[in-house]
Amino acid sequence: MGYDADLALAVEAARRAGSILRAEFHRPGGPRGAGTHAAVDVEVELLLRDALTRATPYAFLGEETGARDGADRSHRWVVDPNDGTASFLHGYRGASVSIGLLREGTPVLGVVFAYAYPDDDGDLIAWAEGTGPIRRNGAAVSASLAGAALDRYAVVLLSQSADYLPARNARCVAPARFLSLPSLAYRLALAAVGEGVAAVSLSRPQCWDYAAGHALVRAAGGELVDDDGAPIAYTAQREGEICRLFGGAPAVVRELARRPWNAVIHGRIPAPQGAYGLLRPAHSLLVADPGALSRAQGCLLGQLAGDALGALVEFRTAEEIAPLYPGGVSDLADGGTWDTLAGQPTDDSEMAIMLARSIVRKRGFVAEAALDAYVHWYGSRPFDIGNTTAGALAASAGAPLGG
C-alpha cells in the first residue's frame, strides 16, 4: 500500500506542532513546566492525535495521552510530541516532534521535526515506505548506512549529557568522534541522512522515543538493536525492558552494544567549570531570528573550520603545500603541524571561544572581562601560544614566562 497521503498528513501535523512548541520555547520567562514534563506537551499531543486519527483509521499511542484503538489495528501511530523535554525546559535547542507509523510492528513511516534546531527555521526529516528517498526539508537525501564503519572520521550521536563526561564517552565510541544532542528521535534521523553512523540512548527509551527514527534508519539501510545486539521489536512484552538502544549502520551498532557504557552511566557529572566552562543557555538570551542566529553560528564555525584547516599546513611554504594538497586544503583531517584531531582548534580559535564566553558572561564586550578570560585560558597550559601573547598574558597573570 502507498503511504503518500499519510506522510503528507504527518509532515503537516509535525509542522503545526513545531510552531506551538517553538512559541513556547521563546515564552518570556521560559517554557512552563519542570523536570521532564512541559505543560505544552499534552496540548501538542492532543493536536497530533486529533489530526492523525481524524484522517486515518489507525490506532494511536502517545507518550502523554496513552493508547487509543482504531478501526485498522494493523497500523498504529506512535508519537512523542516533544522528544527532549528536559533540555527544552532549560533552553537548549534540539528537541523534536516525533511521529512514527507501525504496520504489524514494522516502522513504515517516520517524521522527525527539530523545530528550533539549529535555529528557528528547524530541520524536518521524513520518509514513508513506497514514497521514494528520505527527504530533509523537502530535498531528497541519498545517504546509506549499509556499509558504514566505526572509523576515526565517523560520528556517533549521543545524548546531551555526553558533553559533561567527554573522556568516558570518547572511549566508548573510539576511534570515532561524538556529537551530543537532546532528542533520540532526532539523533536517529541525523544518522539516517548521513550526519553520523549511529545514534545511542542509555536511558531506557520507550517506543515513542524511537519509532519515527527507526523508520528513517530502516530507510537508510540501518538497524536498531538493544544492549544485547538483538533487533528492536514492538511488542507489549518488550516495552520498558530496553535499557540501551543503538541505531545506525548494522556493523557499527553491534560493535557499540559491546562497549563499556556502564562507565558512562555511573559516571558523576562534574560541577560547572567556573565562569569559562561549558555555557548553559539563558532564556533571556535566546535568539528567535533565524538569520541572526545563523550568522552568529557562521562566524564561530567559519573561525573554527578555517583555523583547523590552517593548522594542517601551518609554517609551511606555498611550494611545500602545493604537492601535498594539489586542490587546496579543503578537508578536515587528523595530523598537521601540531598533530591535532580533525577539527581541533588551535590557540587562535581557543582564544576566540574565550572571548565569546566573556561576551556572554558580561552581555557585551568588556575589555577587562576579555583579559580575564584570556588569562584563564593561559592557565590551562595550551599546546600552542605565540610568544607575544604568552608574554602579555604571563605579565597579566603575574606568572613567570614559560621556557
Side-chain angles (χ1 to χ4, degrees):
M1 66 179 293
Y3 291 100
D4 297 83
D6 296 325
L7 181 59
L9 170 69
V11 166
E12 175 58 25
R15 288 198 178 280
R16 289 174 57 200
S19 294
I20 295 171
L21 289 163
R22 191 164 49 243
E24 181 74 8
F25 185 63
H26 288 290
R27 181 176 176 270
R32 298 159 295 161
T36 60
H37 180 75
V40 73
D41 290 358
V42 174
E43 174 190 346
V44 169
E45 183 161 306
L46 289 172
L47 178 151
L48 292 171
R49 189 181 72 180
D50 181 62
L52 298 172
T53 59
R54 197 165 34 129
T56 69
Y58 307 151
F60 179 92
L61 177 64
E63 179 179 16
E64 303 296 332
T65 61
R68 171 178 284 194
D69 288 337
D72 179 355
R73 295 192 178 187
S74 67
H75 287 77
R76 177 174 61 166
W77 294 108
V78 183
V79 169
D80 188 337
N82 193 19
D83 187 41
T85 296
S87 296
F88 165 84
L89 289 172
H90 285 96
Y92 290 98
R93 294 177 181 270
S96 70
V97 179
S98 174
I99 302 174
L101 180 65
L102 304 179
R103 182 189 65 226
E104 302 288 0
T106 297
V108 294
L109 177 152
V111 174
V112 176
F113 184 31
Y115 49 84
Y117 187 90
D119 53 43
D120 276 14
D121 281 339
D123 190 13
L124 192 148
I125 301 170
W127 171 84
E129 191 176 273
T131 65
I134 298 172
R135 292 191 171 272
R136 185 176 192 180
N137 302 315
V141 176
S142 59
S144 172
L145 289 165
L150 197 66
D151 59 35
R152 63 179 181 163
Y153 294 126
V155 174
V156 178
L157 299 146
L158 303 179
S159 71
Q160 189 158 26
S161 61
D163 279 342
Y164 298 98
L165 290 170
R168 296 183 186 213
N169 282 283
R171 282 193 290 270
C172 284
V173 305
R177 321 296 164 85
F178 73 82
L179 173 67
S180 63
L181 286 166
S183 164
L184 172 58
Y186 188 45
R187 297 198 297 273
L188 290 166
L190 288 176
V193 296
E195 298 282 349
V197 296
V200 176
S201 173
L202 308 177
S203 54
R204 293 187 174 273
Q206 301 293 316
C207 63
W208 45 73
D209 298 315
Y210 55 78
H214 190 178
L216 295 167
V217 166
R218 174 175 171 252
E223 297 180 10
L224 250 65
V225 302
D226 62 18
D227 39 346
D228 293 322
I232 295 298
Y234 295 87
T235 63
Q237 291 76 22
R238 291 303 308 277
E239 285 300 321
E241 292 185 1
I242 298 172
C243 293
R244 305 168 195 169
L245 180 143
F246 306 87
V252 171
V253 296
R254 286 178 170 77
E255 171 60 30
L256 289 174
R258 294 192 289 266
R259 297 296 176 90
W261 294 100
N262 281 338
V264 173
I265 294 170
H266 301 300
R268 177 177 295 180
I269 293 178
Q273 303 167 332
Y276 301 110
L278 292 176
L279 291 176
R280 287 172 167 79
H283 289 290
S284 61
L285 298 179
L286 289 173
V287 178
D289 179 357
L293 183 56
S294 181
R295 289 191 295 275
Q297 291 168 338
C299 287
L300 288 174
L301 289 173
Q303 158 85 43
L304 290 162
D307 181 24
L309 289 171
L312 295 173
V313 294
E314 190 172 8
F315 305 132
R316 291 183 181 272
T317 65
E319 291 73 21
E320 292 172 323
I321 295 171
L324 294 173
Y325 301 93
V329 185
S330 58
D331 292 327
L332 297 175
D334 294 347
T337 303
W338 302 102
D339 194 25
T340 49
L341 298 173
Q344 181 179 346
T346 71
D347 55 329
D348 301 324
S349 292
E350 288 179 346
M351 293 186 74
I353 291 170
M354 296 308 291
L355 174 60
R357 289 178 176 175
S358 78
I359 290 171
V360 171
R361 182 185 178 197
K362 292 296 185 180
R363 307 295 191 261
F365 176 74
V366 177
E368 294 79 8
L371 177 60
D372 184 57
Y374 292 151
V375 169
H376 177 88
W377 169 77
Y378 174 77
S380 72
R381 302 177 65 86
F383 69 85
D384 178 27
I385 184 170
N387 292 333
T388 302
T389 302
L393 294 181
S396 298
L401 288 172

